[in-house]
Structure formats: C-alpha cells, structure tokens
Amino acid sequence: RRLNIDGDVFDRYEYSKGACPKKGLLGVPCAPDNLAEVCNKYDRDNGSFRACFDACAPGFCCIHDADRELNFLAPNCNTDENCAAYNYCYIAWWKLHDTIGPALFLQLEQDDTFYDIEADEIASDVTGDPLFNE
C-alpha cells in the first residue's frame, strides 16, 4: 500500500516537511528531496556517504542541545520546524560520532560502496570548516 502524504507518494514513512519551501524560524533550510535515497546505504544506485554528509550538513545543529544563547560556536537549532526532514541523516551523524576525534582517527572507510570517502580526503586541520567547529 502506498501512502499519499502532502502530495508526495511514498511507500515508507515520511518525515514532516516543516516550513518548506521556506527556511525554518531558526534558519534551517529545507532538506533535499532525495535525502532518503542518498542516506540509504542499501540503495546501490543513489546511496552515498559523501552525498549524504554534504546534504545533511545544514541540519547538524538539529541533533545537539548546546545552549543557543551561550554557545555561539555551535548553537543548537533542534526546535526548528525543518529539523524533522533531516532524520535520514542519522547514518552520517552516527558514523562521525562513533569515530570522532582528531581527523587522524576518523574511520570513514568501510568495505562497502556506501562509504565512498577515503580517510586521506579529510583534511588534518579542519578548524576552518564551520561544520567541524560545531
């Protein structure tokens, strides 16, 4: 049985579209329409860790609870109405949090086609990358 929710036809669960096509109240942009496919490690045609990570980066602030007022480097946006659409990103955040540490210790390589980033592609100094400052 296929569900028709918000005009889209899905054969799986659909997360809220929030305020899309507008940014949320805290500035979170709309998640890409193909996020479920690029973040699916079992989708051999579209699944890609690199594409998933890049598409998910704008929603990283949705997954933590650092104080919005006191933590100016990494304020959370987890109450933004567009955060729900980034739920497919769990695979990217799990991978980084499971292996996080200095870039030397990130273990992004695996023996399947989904994890398509080589360890040496991650710069040893990521202090200039706003995502890694969060």
Side-chain angles (χ1 to χ4, degrees):
R1 179 175 154 234
R2 301 194 94 172
L3 300 176
N4 186 338
I5 303 171
D6 297 335
D8 297 320
V9 178
F10 285 90
D11 59 355
R12 63 184 179 277
Y13 184 79
E14 180 185 35
Y15 290 106
S16 170
K17 300 260 188 226
C20 290
K22 299 176 184 172
K23 284 187 175 185
L25 290 176
L26 297 175
V28 176
C30 296
D33 290 335
N34 67 341
L35 194 61
E37 288 78 26
V38 298
C39 291
N40 181 349
K41 77 174 273 165
Y42 300 106
D43 184 332
R44 300 297 181 207
D45 297 322
N46 302 301
S48 161
F49 183 81
R50 178 190 311 275
C52 178
F53 180 80
D54 290 344
C56 290
F60 182 69
C61 61
C62 295
I63 69 163
H64 65 82
D65 60 359
D67 188 287
R68 202 174 288 134
E69 305 299 323
L70 299 176
N71 188 338
F72 63 93
L73 287 176
N76 82 66
C77 64
N78 60 19
T79 58
D80 190 290
E81 58 269 61
N82 288 349
C83 281
Y86 285 92
N87 279 334
Y88 297 108
C89 299
Y90 72 90
I91 194 166
W93 307 143
W94 173 84
K95 186 67 170 169
L96 291 181
H97 286 89
D98 184 49
T99 64
I100 201 70
L104 297 169
F105 299 109
L106 287 175
Q107 297 175 19
L108 299 175
E109 296 177 47
Q110 258 180 250
D111 61 353
D112 64 43
T113 58
F114 179 75
Y115 293 100
D116 54 358
I117 295 180
E118 301 292 327
D120 60 1
E121 289 184 48
I122 304 295
S124 59
D125 180 8
V126 293
T127 55
D129 184 326
L131 179 66
F132 284 96
N133 282 336
E134 286 190 49

